[in-house]
Amino acid sequence: MKTNLIRLGAVLGLLLGGSACEKDFLDINKDPNNPTTADINLVLPSGQATASFIIGGQYNVVGEILAQHLGIAQGGNQYRAWDQFSIPTSTFDGREFSGGLYAGALEDFQYVINAGTPASEWRMVGIAKILKAHTYQVITDLYGDVPFSEALQGSANLTPKYDRQQDIYAGLQALLDEGISDIAKQQGRFPGTADMNYRAATEADMQKWVRLANTLKLRLYLRLSEVDAAGARAGIQALYARNQAATDFNFMRAADSYQFNNGTATNSENPFYQTNFRLPNNLAVSSNLGDTLVRYQDPRLPVYALDADLTTTPLEFLFVRPGQNAPYPNNFTTSTGQAAVRLSFPGTFFIGQAFTNVNRAGSTFPGITATDAPAKSRPTLLLTYEESQLLRAEAAVRGWAPAAENAQTLYEAGVRAALTRYGISTADATTYLARPQVSWAAAGSPAAQLRHVTVQKWISFFATNGAEAWTEVRRSNQPRLQAPLVNLLGGGRFVRRLPYPDSELQRNPRISDTGLTPGDVTTPVWWDVN
């Protein structure tokens, strides 16, 4: 465990630094059981910052590519291998899987639990358990079986077993229940500004954590919809029954989105912005998402995507095919009649003016604001109100929610909230909801209604929560992924999991218990049966 007081800027700087800064992060078993002088209200925000940076950074990017929100721009090679389904075991080693999440965020959350429990710091202990559950949910959804029940024990167990994903899911539900019960004790300090997500300083603020926990429980139960429908239904019905007297069944409210607020100072910016700033012109909007936005006449299109040319009218939104390789086909004719390649980068909402187009800096084009401040400070979204509404809509469509949960009302509320996030007017939202591809009335069967819900969820995750977008695509098989033009796995095969990183392959012999060949990315995780 860290023995010095933790400063968030130092944490983020460490994560952004080179390999010399990785210390001994390759060991996922730092010892959280030996108390130090670090106060838990200093350790809690360290874990929150670390988890947000990694989930909103590289795991976001790989999810965006695999969910076919983003592809590779002409001349961009940083992520081309991922786009063509080559993800080696060296990917996400050190600073993401073992160093960032296990020896970083999870260690911090476990320290808060271990140190806070005997001190009756139940408010922060409850928060740490909820944060721990969310972080593990992201990890297991990306990798499948991972160390859980024997992890985070320090030198007491340097080779923790790999728990089955179904057992991890059961453990996460129990962990969330514990977090809710701990908060209900109303004992210990309020974290206040040490809570980087909700700034919880009152009991009303603490209830936001309870509502987040319930919403996470719903997300976890719905993840089982295809592999264990009976268990998912029973869990959801019990969740509703426990909260039947509460407003909105004690799920997330409009002001409750679980997010991390970023800044404009160096190393405090939104991690997706940082990725693009350091590696500009690598990512362009994928044809799977772009064509969907065009077909739906989605008002988010000019927010999600830049005009591909920026010099001529009307606006041209041009998208890249998954797995595209050089030479890129000409898709545009210049004002002088020359055939050329143009592609739409993510919109300025996400990347500011940190791009070049035809060798011109982004800020030199009309309509492009010469500041990145809004994109830098955009919050990292981890579980939003709009997702909560769409999760509830899915539960209602499946018949697993009480009659009071109206699927259409919840669906439309979720879509409106997603549009409002990007400044879409109420009138334009109403128009959009009336389009046949979006209209609830046009969905004539439960299957069509589920497709509406899952596709809208997928669209809403753009550039903000790529890991969740890819997870939901694998679970629901909606929307259908396009076969990449170059597929290094071979025709008809898709990436279904991330490979275990080298640090685990080299340090924990119990990884062999998973039965997976090192580098396996095609074996589905437990809940992925589509």
Side-chain angles (χ1 to χ4, degrees):
M1 186 59 211
K2 306 165 185 68
T3 58
N4 61 323
L5 298 184
I6 297 162
R7 292 175 174 83
L8 295 180
V11 171
L12 294 178
L14 176 64
L15 291 170
L16 287 167
S19 59
C21 293
E22 290 179 9
K23 305 194 301 181
D24 54 342
F25 272 2
L26 297 184
D27 184 352
I28 68 171
N29 289 288
K30 297 266 189 127
D31 189 350
N33 299 307
N34 292 325
T36 72
T37 56
D39 194 323
I40 61 172
N41 69 355
L42 295 167
V43 179
L44 180 68
S46 171
Q48 289 173 305
T50 303
S52 170
F53 185 81
I54 293 171
I55 296 169
Q58 290 299 292
Y59 282 143
N60 182 20
V61 172
V62 73
E64 287 293 289
I65 292 170
L66 295 176
Q68 296 184 352
H69 281 166
L70 293 171
I72 309 306
Q74 185 182 34
N77 293 309
Q78 182 68 28
Y79 306 110
R80 190 174 301 280
W82 298 356
D83 189 47
Q84 297 175 357
F85 293 172
S86 174
I87 304 178
T89 56
S90 58
T91 307
F92 308 119
D93 207 4
R95 284 185 292 168
E96 284 85 20
F97 179 86
S98 54
L101 291 185
Y102 269 99
L106 286 172
E107 177 192 290
D108 288 341
F109 301 146
Q110 191 64 46
Y111 177 80
V112 173
I113 294 167
N114 290 349
T117 297
S120 296
E121 291 277 14
W122 295 116
R123 291 185 173 96
M124 280 189 273
V125 168
I127 290 172
K129 288 179 179 178
I130 295 166
L131 289 165
K132 179 182 174 182
H134 171 253
T135 304
Y136 262 118
Q137 177 246 302
V138 174
I139 294 172
T140 188
D141 285 343
L142 293 173
Y143 292 94
D145 300 353
V146 293
F148 176 67
S149 62
E150 295 181 1
L152 306 175
Q153 295 181 21
S155 58
N157 189 347
L158 296 175
T159 57
K161 74 173 183 179
Y162 274 66
D163 293 271
R164 299 186 310 161
Q165 189 175 45
Q166 52 265 55
D167 296 331
I168 296 171
Y169 259 67
L172 297 183
Q173 291 286 2
L175 194 59
L176 290 167
D177 286 339
E178 289 178 19
I180 292 170
S181 296
D182 289 343
I183 290 172
K185 296 172 185 175
Q186 299 187 2
Q187 295 178 29
R189 289 171 292 171
F190 292 102
T193 56
D195 172 7
M196 302 297 288
N197 297 121
Y198 289 124
R199 307 279 176 169
T202 66
E203 286 301 337
D205 293 336
M206 293 300 300
Q207 289 307 303
K208 294 180 181 180
W209 281 105
V210 173
R211 292 193 289 271
L212 169 62
N214 284 326
T215 308
L216 275 170
K217 287 177 69 66
L218 181 59
R219 180 198 265 183
L220 287 165
Y221 281 130
L222 284 171
R223 195 79 84 228
L224 312 186
S225 62
E226 309 307 307
V227 70
D228 182 12
R233 180 179 63 249
I236 289 171
Q237 289 175 341
L239 179 61
Y240 273 105
R242 284 197 302 272
N243 294 282
Q244 61 183 332
T247 302
D248 290 328
F249 295 95
N250 223 15
F251 291 119
M252 188 175 281
R253 298 178 187 174
D256 290 356
S257 287
Y258 172 38
Q259 62 187 41
F260 187 92
N261 293 320
N262 298 297
T264 57
T266 301
N267 293 343
S268 73
E269 310 101 316
N270 180 282
F272 183 82
Y273 167 85
Q274 291 190 51
T275 295
N276 182 79
F277 180 79
R278 286 164 174 77
L279 300 165
N281 301 344
N282 268 276
L283 297 169
V285 177
S286 171
S287 59
N288 200 349
L289 175 73
D291 291 345
T292 299
L293 296 176
V294 170
R295 188 168 62 254
Y296 285 21
Q297 299 180 58
D298 196 304
R300 287 167 289 195
L301 176 58
V303 181
Y304 281 11
L306 276 173
D307 176 12
D309 180 57
L310 288 172
T311 58
T312 61
T313 54
L315 299 179
E316 294 106 351
F317 296 106
L318 302 173
F319 314 116
V320 64
R321 289 278 304 278
Q324 180 69 59
N325 218 348
Y328 279 48
N330 293 323
N331 61 353
F332 183 77
T333 303
T334 69
S335 58
T336 61
Q338 291 182 308
V341 177
R342 297 287 186 272
L343 293 169
S344 293
F345 296 133
T348 57
F349 184 90
F350 307 98
I351 69 171
Q353 49 82 47
F355 65 92
T356 59
N357 191 325
V358 199
N359 298 318
R360 283 179 57 184
S363 59
T364 67
F365 289 96
I368 303 298
T369 304
T371 177
D372 286 350
K376 289 179 178 179
S377 60
R378 179 175 59 82
T380 302
L381 304 179
L382 300 166
L383 200 166
T384 62
Y385 170 69
E386 50 264 39
E387 182 187 351
S388 175
Q389 294 294 104
L390 294 171
L391 290 169
R392 292 167 63 188
E394 178 178 346
V397 170
R398 293 182 181 277
W400 299 346
E405 290 280 82
N406 182 278
Q408 178 176 353
T409 299
L410 292 164
Y411 166 77
E412 292 181 351
V415 174
R416 286 185 183 276
L419 295 171
T420 299
R421 183 174 296 282
Y422 298 104
I424 307 303
S425 70
T426 300
D428 286 346
T430 299
T431 299
Y432 179 66
L433 283 165
R435 300 198 188 285
Q437 302 92 338
V438 184
S439 166
W440 195 258
S445 66
Q449 292 167 351
L450 285 175
R451 186 178 191 282
H452 271 27
V453 171
T454 54
V455 170
Q456 286 300 321
K457 198 187 304 181
W458 173 73
I459 294 173
S460 75
F461 287 138
F462 175 74
T464 61
N465 201 341
E468 193 65 22
W470 182 46
T471 289
E472 282 291 85
V473 167
R474 286 179 290 153
R475 173 180 75 99
S476 68
N477 206 23
Q478 296 291 342
R480 293 298 181 95
L481 297 179
Q482 298 174 357
L485 296 175
V486 175
N487 185 345
L488 297 177
L489 291 176
R493 305 177 79 195
F494 286 82
V495 177
R496 310 298 289 267
R497 69 192 312 132
L498 293 185
Y500 294 120
D502 286 337
S503 59
E504 284 298 283
L505 295 171
Q506 295 164 3
R507 292 170 177 261
N508 190 348
R510 299 185 71 177
I511 197 171
S512 62
D513 294 342
T514 65
L516 297 175
T517 302
D520 186 348
V521 296
T522 59
T523 299
V525 299
W526 165 66
W527 47 253
D528 178 8
V529 296
N530 276 315

